[in-house]
Amino acid sequence: MSEDRAQISIEVGILLNQVHSVATERLNTALQPMNLTSRHAAVMFLIRDGVETQRDLVRRLNTDKTGMVRMVDDLDRLGYVSRTPSTSDRRVTILTLTSAGEHALREAQQHTRRVADDVFRSVGSTELMELRSILSGVMGREIPPGQADHRLTQ
């Protein structure tokens, strides 16, 4: 890797971090009246999409167990998530969204779409699809068109 390429790679990484920070801050502000954060919404999306245990959530979100316990406790207290003991392993609790949680998630999706649209407003559709493809490649997996937003639109 040439020095110029290395420098550009560092700058891209910094820019990605800044975009993530701005988007997260805006989404957290939008979700605040719901007593949710972007992390709560991410957990709810994953539960809706079939992630059933706190252990799996920790793995998927690359976070710590203690933080996840607090996150699920918050969602349980809000009435958005229910915990049911597993029938196959009594040490495991199965997480599901309640009907109130499903409703809250739909509202959170609206906020997510609005924030994403605002953050990427100056980026054309073609450029945005190219950026998605590039970032998917960096992550080691290609996301077919229309699939990246699957969790946000269904």
Side-chain angles (χ1 to χ4, degrees), residues 92-108:
V92 175
T93 302
I94 305 300
L95 305 171
T96 54
L97 288 181
T98 63
S99 59
E102 290 172 1
H103 176 76
L105 186 57
R106 283 191 296 276
E107 186 178 340

Side-chain angles (χ1 to χ4, degrees), residues 43 46-54 56-57 60 95-96:
V43 167
L46 288 171
I47 292 170
R48 185 208 53 200
D49 290 345
V51 176
E52 294 183 327
T53 67
Q54 288 182 192
D56 290 338
L57 287 169
R60 289 285 297 272
L95 305 171
T96 54

Side-chain angles (χ1 to χ4, degrees), residues 16-106:
L16 286 170
N17 186 50
Q18 290 172 337
V19 169
H20 176 264
S21 293
V22 166
T24 299
E25 181 181 329
R26 290 180 187 177
L27 184 56
N28 284 338
T29 299
L31 294 173
Q32 191 173 18
M34 299 175 66
N35 294 315
L36 294 175
T37 66
S38 59
R39 299 287 287 176
H40 288 115
V43 167
M44 292 170 71
F45 281 124
L46 288 171
I47 292 170
R48 185 208 53 200
D49 290 345
V51 176
E52 294 183 327
T53 67
Q54 288 182 192
R55 181 182 312 136
D56 290 338
L57 287 169
V58 165
R59 233 185 333 260
R60 289 285 297 272
L61 293 172
N62 195 28
T63 190
D64 64 290
K65 293 176 189 177
T66 304
M68 187 55 64
V69 168
R70 279 193 305 266
M71 193 76 45
V72 173
D73 285 347
D74 290 347
L75 294 171
D76 186 25
R77 189 173 42 258
L78 289 166
Y80 295 161
V81 170
S82 66
R83 296 168 160 146
T84 307
S86 169
T87 56
S88 60
D89 185 346
R90 61 189 176 102
R91 299 168 297 169
V92 175
T93 302
I94 305 300
L95 305 171
T96 54
L97 288 181
T98 63
S99 59
E102 290 172 1
H103 176 76
L105 186 57
R106 283 191 296 276

